[in-house]
């Protein structure tokens, strides 16, 4: 969608720093040699990072928007910050598909793709490959200043409808929210204690962006460029990081790690978001990693906004700087471009602590009886032998009554055992029909399961 030029018309604009770190501090941990950096590996200092950002900014194409598709986390961060210094806006799509690139190019003609060797690129779109660029530069002590009102990024989410939605992020919003997030996620000593973090989530999505890119800019967090998938790879990526270590992940990935049987190196803290986390899984994760798990609640429009120690409580604590308004239906903060409606129903006694009651569309009604898809999914995912799964309502068809559907990824569990599990806890009218065993669900890289993808996958299964 076009950008309203009034967003950047304020005069004179205030300026905010690109980062707030000591230049001699450790900024990133490169897990393997990167050819654009002359084969550099190991730790990169803040000063070296700044020098590389400034050098890259001078070489970027003349454009208004950079479609940042870099896969390596450090190269993504370099590109993101260089685009900022150049006065460009980062476009952060929900995937790297050519169709998505084409849609962005159509909506933002003054754009180019910034990547690090991606193969399925749109031929008609200008490209800049960081892997073919010498990114080496002398360390720099001068921290760049960015216009506070500069549109730093547009994050695109598919949401429940599958249609991309643009979320506009001015730089002052990111700076303020990063301080809020650092204090809430890392504690009051986020400026003093140096921590080393491994993230299993992509940087293009808001949860990965806030934690693995923005937190290192505004707190003493050194991020690894590795993004391992399999449990053994996660353990091996954590091992060389100095203590105290952090793991940034999602419930879907944590479930796979916890049940893998792989011995994990201890971490001080796990940060988890993108989907509801059960207390059982939170407790198992804390035992597996010998650290504290903090679950974060948020949305793409606002970002992170509340936290809880899920192994101990179901009560969320709102971040300082945010407040609930209009009968708990919206969230607002001085750094946000506008008030944002909440997609979830909540209850609170003091306005700062609350419980989630689920989304309005999570409640279903069949034959006059009401049931909760949230509770059905909790029941499914708490079943031994279930690796992943979802219970959802398909679109209404020609049948008289539309019933819930269950798609399940399991090991050592049968459809009959799952049906018996549901039958023991649910009214017969809410029994999932059909219940299908699948190899995997079509989740995005951040663990989310957009309704459009889910329905397409379900129809494909039914038509086989």
């Amino acid at each position: 969608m076009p950008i309203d030029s009034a967003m950047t018309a304020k005069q004179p604009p205030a300026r905010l720093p690109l980062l707030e770190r000591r230049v001699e501090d450790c900024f990133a941990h490169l897990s393997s040699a990167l050819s654009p950096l002359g084969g550099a590996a190991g730790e990169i200092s803040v000063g070296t990072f700044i020098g590389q950002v400034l050098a890259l900014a001078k070489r970027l194409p003349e454009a208004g928007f950079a479609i940042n598709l870099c896969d390596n986390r450090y190269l993504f961060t370099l590109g993101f910050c260089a685009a900022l210094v150049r006065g460009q806006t980062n476009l952060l799509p929900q995937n790297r598909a050519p169709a998505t690139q084409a849609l962005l190019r159509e909506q933002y003609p003054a754009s180019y793709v910034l990547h690090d060797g991606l193969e399925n690129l749109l031929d008609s779109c200008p490209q800049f490959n960081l892997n073919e660029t010498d990114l080496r530069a002398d360390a720099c002590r001068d921290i760049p200043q960015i216009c506070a009102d500069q549109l730093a990024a547009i994050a695109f989410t598919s949401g429940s409808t599958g249609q991309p939605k643009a979320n506009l992020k001015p730089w002052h919003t990111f700076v303020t929210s990063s301080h809020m997030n650092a204090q809430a996620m890392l504690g009051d000593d986020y400026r003093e204690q140096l921590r080393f973090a491994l993230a299993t989530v992509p940087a293009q999505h808001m949860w990965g962006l806030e934690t693995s890119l923005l937190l290192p800019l505004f707190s003493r967090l050194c991020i690894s460029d590795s993004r391992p998938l399999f449990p053994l790879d996660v353990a091996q990526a954590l091992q060389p990081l100095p203590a105290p270590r952090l793991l940034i992940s999602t419930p879907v990935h944590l479930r796979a790690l916890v049940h893998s049987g792989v011995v994990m190196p201890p971490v001080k803290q796990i940060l988890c978001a993108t989907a509801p986390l059960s207390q059982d899984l939170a407790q198992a994760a804390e035992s597996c990693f010998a650290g504290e798990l903090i679950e974060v609640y948020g949305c793409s429009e606002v970002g992170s906004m509340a936290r809880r120690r899920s192994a101990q409580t179901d009560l969320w604590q709102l971040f300082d700087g945010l407040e609930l308004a209009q009968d708990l239906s919206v969230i607002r903060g001085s750094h946000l471009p506008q008030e944002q409606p909440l997609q979830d129903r909540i209850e609170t006694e003091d306005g700062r602590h609350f419980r989630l009651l689920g989304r309005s569309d999570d409640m279903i009604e069949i034959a006059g009886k009401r049931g909760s898809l949230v509770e059905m999914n909790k029941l499914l995912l708490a079943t031994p032998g279930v690796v992943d799964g979802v219970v959802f309502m398909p679109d209404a068809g020609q049948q008289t009554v539309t019933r819930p559907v269950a798609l399940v990824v399991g090991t050592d569990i049968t459809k009959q055992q799952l049906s018996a599990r549901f039958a023991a806890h649910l009214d017969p009218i809410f029994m999932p029909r059909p219940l299908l065993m699948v190899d995997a669900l079509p989740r995005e890289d951040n663990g989310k399961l957009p309704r459009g993808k889910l329905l397409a996958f379900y129809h494909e299964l039914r038509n086989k």
Side-chain angles (χ1 to χ4, degrees):
M1 63 179 59
I3 303 302
D4 186 351
S5 60
M7 286 193 61
T8 57
K10 298 179 182 179
Q11 297 292 335
R15 301 184 74 80
L16 293 168
L18 176 68
L19 52 80
E20 296 177 7
R21 298 284 302 276
R22 295 190 288 269
V23 294
E24 65 277 3
D25 208 359
C26 175
F27 180 77
H29 185 280
L30 305 186
S31 58
S32 59
L34 289 182
S35 57
L37 302 179
E43 295 184 3
I44 297 287
S45 72
V46 172
T48 298
F49 170 72
I50 295 173
Q52 293 169 355
V53 166
L54 294 175
L56 176 58
K58 295 176 182 178
R59 303 180 67 175
L60 291 179
E62 290 287 347
F65 305 92
I67 305 173
N68 196 332
L69 301 182
C70 292
D71 186 57
N72 179 274
R73 197 177 305 276
Y74 183 72
L75 296 182
F76 175 89
T77 304
L78 268 182
F80 184 97
C81 292
L84 277 180
V85 170
R86 189 64 178 267
Q88 299 173 354
T89 297
N90 287 274
L91 301 181
L92 308 176
Q94 71 271 28
N95 59 59
R96 297 180 173 89
T100 300
Q101 298 173 41
L103 179 61
L104 288 180
R105 179 66 175 166
E106 177 183 340
Q107 294 177 332
Y108 305 90
S111 63
Y112 66 97
V113 170
L114 186 64
H115 69 100
D116 55 356
L118 190 65
E119 294 183 355
N120 59 336
L121 290 169
L122 192 68
D123 292 335
S124 60
C125 185
Q127 304 163 13
F128 192 92
N129 186 351
L130 294 187
N131 265 340
E132 297 177 352
T133 307
D134 189 346
L135 299 177
R136 290 173 292 182
D138 294 332
C140 180
R141 301 189 66 86
D142 297 327
I143 297 176
Q145 301 292 307
I146 309 298
C147 177
D149 290 330
Q150 179 176 328
L151 186 56
I154 305 177
F156 295 87
T157 56
S158 55
S160 60
T161 64
Q163 298 300 314
K165 178 182 178 183
N167 297 293
L168 280 56
K169 305 292 182 179
W171 183 237
H172 72 84
T173 295
F174 274 154
V175 173
T176 302
S177 64
S178 295
H179 286 295
M180 292 166 45
N181 293 345
Q183 196 282 327
M185 298 179 195
L186 304 180
D188 294 334
D189 64 344
Y190 71 88
R191 297 179 187 269
E192 288 79 37
Q193 174 70 65
L194 178 62
R195 301 167 171 87
F196 290 79
L198 174 71
T200 68
V201 290
Q204 279 87 355
H205 295 270
M206 277 305 298
W207 173 235
L209 187 77
E210 284 191 307
T211 52
S212 66
L213 186 149
L214 292 170
L215 279 186
L217 294 178
F218 295 96
S219 69
R220 290 198 74 201
L221 187 70
C222 179
I223 190 72
S224 169
D225 71 331
S226 177
R227 184 161 72 90
L229 174 63
F230 299 107
L232 184 59
D233 296 331
V234 172
Q236 292 175 343
L238 278 170
Q239 192 62 55
L241 299 181
R245 291 180 286 235
L246 271 72
L247 176 65
I248 301 165
S249 194
T250 66
V252 171
H253 207 174
L254 278 182
R255 185 178 298 109
L257 299 178
V258 166
H259 296 303
S260 69
V262 174
V263 177
M264 294 292 171
V267 302
K268 180 178 181 180
Q269 192 177 61
I270 305 167
L271 297 176
C272 181
T274 73
L277 184 69
S278 70
Q279 187 176 62
D280 288 344
L281 180 55
Q283 292 172 347
E286 290 197 346
S287 176
C288 178
F289 288 94
E292 178 183 84
L293 185 147
I294 298 299
E295 185 179 4
V296 177
Y297 169 71
C299 62
S300 296
E301 294 82 359
V302 177
S304 299
M305 51 182 158
R307 55 160 280 168
R308 69 179 179 181
R309 178 83 180 275
S310 305
Q312 299 180 351
T313 181
D314 65 348
L315 201 61
W316 295 93
Q317 180 178 346
L318 197 64
F319 287 2
D320 291 339
L322 294 171
E323 64 178 1
L324 299 165
Q326 297 183 18
D327 296 327
L328 311 181
S329 64
V330 302
I331 190 84
R332 64 188 180 196
S334 60
H335 64 296
L336 299 176
Q338 60 190 21
E339 292 184 349
Q340 291 291 344
L342 287 175
Q343 301 300 316
D344 294 283
R345 296 175 295 112
I346 66 173
E347 63 177 12
T348 179
E349 294 182 359
D350 61 6
R352 305 300 304 172
H353 298 81
F354 61 90
R355 287 183 174 84
L356 292 177
L357 304 179
R359 298 194 175 196
S360 56
D361 57 1
D362 284 331
M363 297 301 298
I364 60 175
E365 183 171 336
I366 303 176
K369 296 184 178 181
R370 290 175 62 81
S372 168
L373 288 174
V374 170
E375 295 304 317
M376 295 179 199
N377 276 286
K378 285 182 180 179
L379 177 64
L380 173 62
L381 295 176
T383 303
V386 171
V387 176
D388 195 9
V390 62
V391 181
F392 67 100
M393 291 294 287
D395 291 337
Q398 298 181 351
Q399 65 269 36
T400 305
V401 178
T402 302
R403 297 183 181 276
V405 171
L407 305 181
V408 183
V409 181
T411 58
D412 300 323
I413 190 167
T414 65
K415 290 176 61 173
Q416 291 73 22
Q417 290 170 322
L418 280 168
S419 295
R421 167 85 164 170
F422 280 122
H425 294 84
L426 298 179
D427 186 295
I429 203 167
F430 293 116
M431 287 284 292
R433 301 188 183 98
L435 191 162
L436 304 176
M437 305 298 292
V438 298
D439 294 330
L441 295 177
R443 293 189 181 275
E444 294 185 340
D445 287 343
N446 64 352
K448 291 191 175 182
L449 193 57
R451 181 169 176 81
K453 277 190 173 182
L454 180 60
L455 291 178
F457 180 64
Y458 171 61
H459 290 312
E460 181 182 342
L461 291 172
R462 296 291 285 172
N463 292 331
K464 283 185 177 179

